[in-house]
Amino acid sequence: MFGFFSLNDFLTSRRMGYAFFGMIAALGFAPINLFPAFILAMAWFFAQTQLDNDCAFFDAFIFFLFMHVAGLYWLVYPLTLDIITHGWLIPVAVILVPAYFALQLSIGWLLAKHMADGILNGVILYSSFSCIIMYIYGHFSFGFPWLLPAYIWGCHEIFLQTICLYGTHGLNLTTMAISCLCGTSFVFYKKNDRPKAVAFAVVAAGLLITMTLFGIFRTLSHETSWSSHRARLVQCNLAQQKKNNPKLSRENLQEHLNLSHGNSNVEFVVWPEASIPYLYQEKLEWFHDLCRKILAQNVYLVAGAVRQDIVSSKIYNSIVTIDHLGKNVLNYDKRRLVPFGEYVPFRGFIPSAFQSIASSIGDFDLGESPKILAINGLNFLLNICYEAAFPENFFPENGPLPDAIINVTNDAWFGYTSEPYQHLLIVRCRSIETGLPLMRCANYGISAVFDGCGRELSRIDINTAGAMDFFIPHKIAELPTYAQYGDTIFWLMILALLLISGISSLKNVVGKIRKRWKRQKSDGARNPSATH
């Protein structure tokens, strides 16, 4: 078909197995969160690459490709909202985006395969290289740290607690190590070396048990406690087609207002991302007058809006905060924009034939405003949608430490798919890493409240409209290790593993040189004439 690839050969070859287990691995992610599926699939992949000498780069690519196709299928959904304009991009979302990640992870596997000197070295190098690559594509290029191994543990918060020590990337490394150790156990089992098979299985189980015990200890040590401050989250459950229809703007706003009335028992009313259905500056006075009418004494509205700066004319995806007097207290402008959603990378290099498509996306500007909102004696760290995927956005800056996180989002772009569940789990991890309670307000998706251990305290479920009043939990008293040092511990773990791998390889090389020297010396002693 293409020289190196034939569909018929694929369907009848071992590559079908790589595709199948790649899709099985995707079952580990939300909403299913069947973590044994991911571990066993990754263990199978690692074992197969060790047992099969014919395993090639393309086999690894197939495994990772199908894992990402199954896990990111929801990328197609926003393209169907305007099928005439964006329908041609569906193959890009289905194949090319997953292939982008699969290619990088396959390179990591290839490097480990060629550099590893022995199977234990393979465990170390493959776990390390894959996690380094995940870090790179999560922080550089377009940045999309989504289907990370750490997120397979979302079935219960006790499995996630170690991220307060070494972050999501540290848990990635632990997860890959457990998977590869299980794969190594299987390799030795196939070779009838039962003692080694049991030994590697015990080490993998030991890591999992240690994670679990730490999670139990941390959650038991930090019981949830509530402050006297009350807040309300508003979720209107508006479909994206309805939000996009300018004729329904007034109706959409009225739905938010209806769910916000009777707010005298709360201090904060939170609306989701882009919930104000107008360019904020266009109807500024009218909207502020509206706030004076609906907000009770000392109540603040924290709402998502599209805002244009009066001085620079730049357009921002923002959170605006308005008090009961109709005064704009603070604006937070989004700092991490969604590629091909909120801006078009390399717009100047796009061929003229596709410029009309690119112009339909538009460009937001990067925000530089402070992240901390200080009102009513609390410091809130503000965060919008996609920014939740980046832990560094939650690090304390100079100034007061935050008491809680407010995250606003709109998952209506992705409908009733896996995305709202995956997005919720990602933002939940930020509460564990920082030890801060987190209030997540979604237009469509799942609005929820978490404490500093990531325990879900209440929620408004997907496909549900409603308002939720609650007391804001206290933050965990001591700042978690990860919040203090960031990814430093993860990189120290990587450095230690690579150092162990290097020493092991050096010892193997020295051992081989010694054996060769002894063999030559022995041959010389048996045949003295050969030395002359």
Side-chain angles (χ1 to χ4, degrees):
M1 186 179 176
F2 293 106
F4 70 97
F5 176 74
S6 163
L7 180 60
N8 183 60
D9 290 344
F10 171 75
L11 293 174
T12 57
S13 72
R14 70 183 188 280
R15 284 174 180 161
M16 195 67 178
Y18 286 98
F20 173 76
F21 277 97
M23 290 187 288
I24 291 296
L27 295 176
F29 300 102
I32 299 173
N33 277 125
L34 189 63
F35 71 81
F38 178 90
I39 290 174
L40 293 176
M42 193 62 68
W44 176 89
F45 168 74
F46 182 78
Q48 193 71 11
T49 62
Q50 299 298 315
L51 293 169
D52 184 1
N53 291 327
D54 294 329
C55 181
F57 175 85
F58 192 63
D59 297 321
F61 177 79
I62 289 293
F63 175 84
F64 292 116
L65 174 68
F66 277 82
M67 183 181 83
H68 283 84
V69 167
L72 298 176
Y73 72 91
W74 45 264
L75 287 171
V76 171
Y77 190 90
L79 302 176
T80 65
L81 298 177
D82 186 355
I83 195 75
I84 296 175
T85 304
H86 299 127
W88 68 277
L89 287 169
I90 288 177
V92 175
V94 172
I95 300 297
L96 291 187
V97 173
Y100 168 75
F101 299 109
L103 179 64
Q104 295 175 81
L105 290 171
S106 300
I107 292 172
W109 167 83
L110 187 67
L111 289 172
K113 183 176 177 66
H114 286 284
M115 293 176 64
D117 188 3
I119 191 167
L120 181 57
N121 226 347
V123 171
I124 293 173
L125 290 179
Y126 178 62
S127 300
S128 300
F129 288 166
S130 60
C131 290
I132 290 171
I133 285 172
M134 290 174 202
Y135 186 93
I136 290 172
Y137 71 58
H139 288 75
F140 305 103
S141 184
F142 303 134
F144 192 65
W146 206 265
L147 286 190
L148 301 180
Y151 296 140
I152 69 170
W153 303 104
C155 58
H156 200 284
E157 64 268 6
I158 62 171
F159 297 117
L160 293 167
Q161 295 305 311
T162 55
I163 64 176
C164 77
L165 300 175
Y166 50 34
T168 301
H169 291 286
L171 187 52
N172 285 344
L173 185 59
T174 303
T175 306
M176 292 302 296
I178 290 172
S179 302
C180 292
L181 286 168
C182 289
T184 304
S185 176
F186 181 71
V187 169
F188 283 117
Y189 178 82
K190 291 285 287 184
K191 292 180 177 180
N192 292 318
D193 192 340
R194 301 301 167 83
K196 286 185 179 179
V198 171
F200 278 97
V202 167
V203 174
L207 286 174
L208 178 56
I209 292 170
T210 302
M211 273 175 51
T212 306
L213 290 176
F214 178 83
I216 293 172
F217 173 78
R218 185 170 190 258
T219 52
L220 290 178
S221 301
H222 300 93
E223 293 292 333
T224 307
S225 63
W226 284 266
S227 70
S228 59
H229 300 279
R230 284 175 63 86
R232 173 181 297 178
L233 301 183
V234 171
Q235 177 172 303
C236 286
N237 193 44
L238 301 177
Q240 194 59 41
Q241 293 92 330
K242 187 176 181 180
K243 279 184 66 65
N244 288 345
N245 189 342
K247 295 179 181 179
L248 299 176
S249 295
R250 188 60 185 264
E251 180 183 330
N252 294 342
L253 179 62
Q254 190 60 50
E255 291 193 35
H256 287 86
L257 295 173
N258 292 341
L259 291 171
S260 303
H261 281 298
N263 51 57
S264 59
N265 63 330
V266 300
E267 298 173 51
F268 315 99
V269 177
V270 184
W271 289 4
E273 179 185 15
S275 51
I276 299 174
Y278 313 102
L279 185 63
Y280 181 55
Q281 269 64 33
E282 286 184 353
K283 301 195 176 184
L284 191 66
E285 294 303 321
W286 172 79
F287 185 73
H288 285 189
D289 184 58
L290 198 60
C291 290
R292 282 193 290 270
K293 293 176 182 178
I294 68 163
L295 295 177
Q297 185 79 15
N298 295 324
V299 176
Y300 291 84
L301 175 66
V302 181
V306 176
R307 187 183 74 87
Q308 184 173 30
D309 186 80
I310 298 174
V311 177
S312 66
S313 297
K314 291 182 177 180
I315 303 291
Y316 299 104
N317 184 355
S318 303
I319 294 175
V320 299
T321 304
I322 304 162
D323 66 13
H324 71 281
L325 299 175
K327 179 184 176 183
N328 184 209
V329 177
L330 181 135
N331 299 318
Y332 167 71
D333 304 318
K334 192 175 182 182
R335 299 182 177 191
R336 282 272 192 174
L337 302 178
V338 181
F340 303 104
E342 293 174 317
Y343 78 103
V344 180
F346 313 117
R347 181 185 287 274
F349 297 94
I350 295 176
S352 56
F354 301 114
Q355 281 294 340
S356 60
I357 306 294
S359 63
S360 69
I361 296 174
D363 275 333
F364 284 98
D365 291 289
L366 284 173
E368 298 176 352
S369 55
K371 293 191 286 187
I372 298 295
L373 168 65
I375 48 176
N376 283 6
L378 290 177
N379 298 312
F380 294 102
L381 191 153
L382 303 179
N383 188 267
I384 301 174
C385 190
Y386 178 67
E387 292 181 312
F390 302 90
E392 61 271 21
N393 289 345
F394 294 78
F395 290 167
E397 295 180 330
N398 295 330
L401 293 176
D403 298 300
I405 299 168
I406 295 177
N407 173 263
V408 299
T409 190
N410 174 30
D411 287 333
W413 289 104
F414 305 100
Y416 190 36
T417 64
S418 299
E419 192 277 344
Y421 297 93
Q422 293 174 3
H423 200 178
L424 180 71
L425 174 59
I426 288 170
V427 75
R428 179 188 190 183
C429 289
R430 305 295 85 88
S431 66
I432 301 171
E433 290 167 342
T434 59
L436 298 175
L438 188 145
M439 298 168 280
R440 182 182 197 252
C441 187
N443 160 54
Y444 176 96
I446 305 168
S447 297
V449 181
F450 300 100
D451 70 2
C453 285
R455 283 177 287 235
E456 186 179 301
L457 305 176
S458 55
R459 74 154 59 184
I460 304 174
D461 218 334
I462 196 167
N463 284 329
T464 304
M468 176 170 61
D469 292 359
F470 56 92
F471 286 102
I472 299 172
H474 286 298
K475 65 180 177 181
I476 291 177
E478 65 275 9
L479 196 63
T481 305
Y482 182 73
Q484 298 179 61
Y485 301 106
D487 291 313
T488 303
I489 295 176
F490 162 70
W491 285 112
L492 288 175
M493 291 166 64
I494 290 287
L495 183 62
L497 287 173
L498 294 180
L499 188 61
I500 291 169
S501 173
I503 292 172
S504 175
S505 297
L506 185 61
K507 287 176 67 176
N508 288 337
V509 170
V510 171
K512 289 177 181 178
I513 292 173
R514 284 180 175 175
K515 284 182 181 179
R516 187 180 303 170
W517 180 77
K518 288 180 179 179
R519 193 186 308 117
Q520 291 175 347
K521 187 177 180 181
S522 175
D523 291 344
R526 285 197 300 269
N527 187 14
S529 61
T531 61
H532 299 287

